[in-house]
Amino acid sequence: MKILVPVKRVVDYNVKVRVKPDGSDVDLANVKMSMNPFDEIAVEQAVRLKEAGVASEVVVVSAGVANCQETLRTAMATGADRGILIQTDGELQPLAVARLLKAVCEKEQPQIVFCGKQAIDDDANQTGQMLAGLLNWPQATFVSKVAVAGDQATVTREIDSGLETVEVRLPAVLTADLRLNEPRYATLPNIMKAKKKPLETLTPAALGVDVTARLKTLKVAEPAKRTAGIKVADAADLVLKLKTEAKVI
Amino acid sequence: MAILVIAEHDNTSIKAATLNAVSAAAKIGGELHLLVAGSACAEAAQAAARIAGVSKVLVADAAHYADQLPENLSALVVAQAAAYSHILAAATTSGKNFMPRVAALLDVAQVSEIIGVVAPDTFVRPIYAGNVVATVQSSDPIKVVTVRATAFEAAGEGGSAAVESLPAGPDLALARLVGRELTKSERPDLTAARVVIAGGRGLGNGENFHKLIEPLADKLGAAIGASRAAVDAGFVPNDYQVGQTGKIVAPQLYIAVGISGAIQHLAGMKDSKVIVAINKDAEAPIFQVADYGLVGDLFEVLPALLAELG
């Protein structure tokens, strides 16, 4: 069984982004980029399924600028077998990415596509669900546990009111939540080995996919900042302030 | 053209976040319809008809809608979409699950988790864990939008919408619900509570979490939340998590106990009216957003606080 894992190159989760002075976009010049943390979890789970003998191959795919190769190499250093880069310099929105992934799925015929549940840059939380819709495959989002048997996956999902278990028929799209696993670190020998793994480069045009943006960002801004208030001396002081000043208790 | 809001429900009552999505729809303007897809869901449909501002409730009642799984629900919504300019749902784990599927099947973009309506085609939404807000315009014929509940008032009661039944679509039989483990609590719902008290890694273990946080929550009538660290460490279940990828809360009073304040946590609570932080580390980032900061050992502060509250 083949597992396809889409990975996105995003601003590192420790970076606090700034808005460009003209408000047109966020300023990504000289900012540290990393693999989207949820995608790291998806890669880890795919590799674990391979180690458990469930999957035979883990293919990672990324869409974006040439530097997304680094993200693919990182994924290969933690166990993915090969990479596909869909190279384009333009803005890619979730629907366009889902359509690109659909084209890749038609070529690669994976049984599972394991996505991260959301990217920490646009916070859209869409691509996996969109891909499942386009392929008419079942979907299980926000996955915290997965077991694959035959042509079926039994999946535990994190939902607002607790946990939910669903059975989906394969092929299916799954999206990883935080507590699915703790991704391993790439070791130096594996980083070296990853450099020799196959990496194919495609383009949206070669896949026959129109990636025109449907949403136009008119402006971006920083939200109104909260300012630090006061320090209180002790519990008595706190209760007094909450009662008489803030009037919330 | 009218706006369709997809109701989230348990077949007998409508979930609170749907009321906020109705208010967002009202801001866009136009006739408002609500879709209730469920099984033996007449009671939920009646409740939907009483929501102020709703002119029609569409009900699809069939066994394969009982659990509102995304595959069948999306197909049903798509079949109705041509009559609508906008399709909205609350950005809950349910809405986030099926709505992008609806958008893809309609070949339109989704605008995720809006916090403001500028124009019928233009919305404000947070990106980068809420550190940036973007104003985006959709050029698609149908706008598929999810709504952050805390950014809109809940719609009231007093409506008397017509209830109309819809033919059910086929059962796609792609997925099956095995079961749900729902967290049972007598406390208010985390996302709708007036007061939230949230604990973090500083509490050390689950026993301390329960022993120290629960009596305070009982005293204040508060809901209980947690940081990711506390959930990851197993102190409390996943549905307690407040943050970028957990729940978004905006109560009147948010008390953060033993939480350092990573940006991912702040993203989930910084719109609270009053924020209190209790932490032994005076340099913890949580103090930068707190209205009232108390630097101290929570194991001493919390019992004292409980005593002060009488």
Side-chain angles (χ1 to χ4, degrees):
Chain A
M1 169 194 301
K2 191 188 286 184
I3 303 181
L4 187 77
V5 185
V7 293
K8 186 176 185 183
R9 181 175 180 265
V10 298
V11 171
D12 186 85
Y13 80 102
N14 280 314
V15 172
K16 191 167 182 309
V17 294
R18 300 201 178 283
V19 167
K20 285 181 183 170
D22 66 358
S24 61
D25 204 349
V26 291
D27 190 356
L28 297 183
N30 303 317
V31 166
K32 185 183 176 201
M33 306 294 280
S34 297
M35 192 191 310
N36 179 42
F38 290 98
D39 301 347
E40 287 182 345
I41 297 170
V43 171
E44 174 67 29
Q45 198 62 32
V47 171
R48 287 186 190 186
L49 285 167
K50 187 183 169 191
E51 288 166 347
V54 173
S56 52
E57 189 184 26
V58 177
V59 181
V60 282
V61 54
S62 191
V65 296
N67 281 339
C68 294
Q69 282 186 35
E70 294 166 12
T71 316
L72 291 167
R73 293 287 176 205
T74 305
M76 288 190 273
T78 52
D81 297 296
R82 62 186 169 92
I84 300 170
L85 169 64
I86 308 164
Q87 195 173 331
T88 174
D89 289 336
E91 184 196 356
L92 284 175
Q93 293 179 351
L95 180 62
V97 176
R99 295 177 67 197
L100 290 170
L101 293 173
K102 177 180 184 244
V104 172
C105 285
E106 281 160 359
K107 210 162 121 313
E108 294 283 342
Q109 302 283 320
Q111 284 295 99
I112 295 176
V113 178
F114 223 130
C115 305
K117 78 162 177 180
Q118 83 189 56
I120 60 164
D121 50 4
D122 62 17
D123 281 334
N125 195 334
Q126 299 175 10
T127 306
Q129 297 90 310
M130 285 184 154
L131 175 63
L134 294 176
L135 290 165
N136 198 27
W137 289 3
Q139 67 186 55
T141 52
F142 324 146
V143 171
S144 65
K145 206 165 132 193
V146 61
V148 179
D151 65 348
Q152 201 158 275
T154 304
V155 171
T156 303
R157 308 179 53 235
E158 294 199 355
I159 58 171
D160 286 337
S161 45
L163 296 169
E164 171 180 290
T165 303
V166 288
E167 271 173 15
V168 294
R169 208 174 70 195
L170 300 181
V173 177
L174 312 181
T175 80
D177 213 322
L178 286 172
R179 281 168 282 275
L180 179 59
N181 61 51
E182 207 163 305
R184 71 195 70 186
Y185 290 99
T187 61
L188 191 58
N190 284 339
I191 292 170
M192 300 311 288
K193 262 189 246 168
K195 290 185 178 167
K196 296 201 182 77
K197 290 186 178 177
L199 198 162
E200 180 186 3
T201 301
L202 301 169
T203 61
L207 291 167
V209 176
D210 175 10
V211 293
T212 309
R214 307 293 186 82
L215 299 179
K216 187 174 161 198
T217 299
L218 302 181
K219 64 170 181 184
V220 298
E222 281 175 23
K225 282 221 174 6
R226 280 193 94 99
T227 45
I230 56 163
K231 292 278 188 341
V232 295
D234 53 28
D237 191 14
L238 177 60
V239 171
L240 181 72
K241 293 264 189 331
L242 290 177
K243 279 186 174 155
T244 60
E245 204 175 272
K247 297 189 170 70
V248 286
I249 58 170
Chain B
M1 282 217 286
I3 299 176
L4 182 66
V5 178
I6 317 302
E8 188 173 341
H9 63 90
D10 58 6
N11 293 312
T12 54
S13 61
I14 303 292
K15 303 268 177 180
T18 298
L19 303 177
N20 307 94
V22 166
S23 291
K27 283 212 168 151
I28 295 167
E31 197 180 324
L32 208 77
H33 298 176
L34 214 61
L35 173 67
V36 177
S39 176
C41 58
E43 212 177 315
Q46 290 306 324
R50 291 192 296 271
I51 300 171
V54 176
S55 64
K56 190 164 35 169
V57 175
L58 304 173
V59 187
D61 198 324
H64 58 281
Y65 299 130
D67 309 308
Q68 297 164 56
L69 293 187
E71 296 83 2
N72 284 325
L73 180 56
S74 303
L76 178 71
V77 174
V78 168
Q80 299 304 316
Y84 296 97
S85 61
H86 295 72
I87 300 173
L88 270 67
T92 56
T93 48
S94 168
K96 288 173 178 175
N97 192 22
F98 76 88
M99 285 289 271
R101 192 173 176 108
V102 169
L105 290 170
L106 294 171
D107 192 30
V108 302
Q110 174 181 289
V111 186
S112 293
E113 215 155 348
I114 63 162
I115 55 171
V117 175
V118 177
D121 65 350
T122 307
F123 308 94
V124 183
R125 60 175 303 262
I127 54 176
Y128 291 95
N131 287 307
V132 179
V133 289
T135 304
V136 296
Q137 187 176 35
S138 165
S139 58
D140 285 317
I142 301 176
K143 278 66 172 164
V144 172
V145 178
T146 63
V147 176
R148 178 172 287 191
T150 53
F152 298 88
E153 297 286 315
E157 288 234 330
S160 55
V163 178
E164 199 174 284
S165 88
L166 278 185
D171 181 3
L172 301 174
L174 293 169
R176 184 178 79 83
L177 180 77
V178 178
R180 289 184 176 137
E181 280 173 54
L182 305 183
T183 303
K184 290 195 176 58
S185 172
E186 299 298 312
R187 296 202 175 80
D189 178 44
L190 182 53
T191 51
R194 211 186 66 82
V195 180
V196 172
I197 176 160
R201 197 188 340 238
L203 283 146
N205 57 47
E207 195 188 328
N208 288 339
F209 196 106
H210 295 293
K211 203 172 64 193
L212 291 165
I213 300 290
E214 283 174 4
L216 269 174
D218 290 340
K219 186 69 81 183
L220 292 164
I224 298 180
S227 68
R228 178 191 169 182
V231 177
D232 282 359
F235 299 178
V236 286
N238 62 281
D239 49 299
Y240 283 51
Q241 186 177 324
V242 171
Q244 179 186 15
T245 71
K247 289 193 173 136
I248 307 292
V249 302
Q252 293 293 304
L253 172 62
Y254 187 91
I255 305 176
V257 179
I259 292 177
S260 63
I263 55 173
Q264 290 81 8
H265 184 77
L266 301 185
M269 45 65 81
K270 68 185 164 61
D271 293 327
S272 304
K273 186 163 172 275
V274 174
I275 297 174
V276 170
I278 299 169
N279 203 300
K280 67 175 179 208
D281 175 10
E283 302 302 315
I286 190 79
F287 287 120
Q288 289 163 23
V289 300
D291 300 287
Y292 300 102
L294 176 44
V295 180
D297 181 352
L298 63 91
F299 294 98
E300 288 162 19
V301 171
L302 293 189
L305 192 55
L306 191 63
E308 284 296 329
L309 289 167

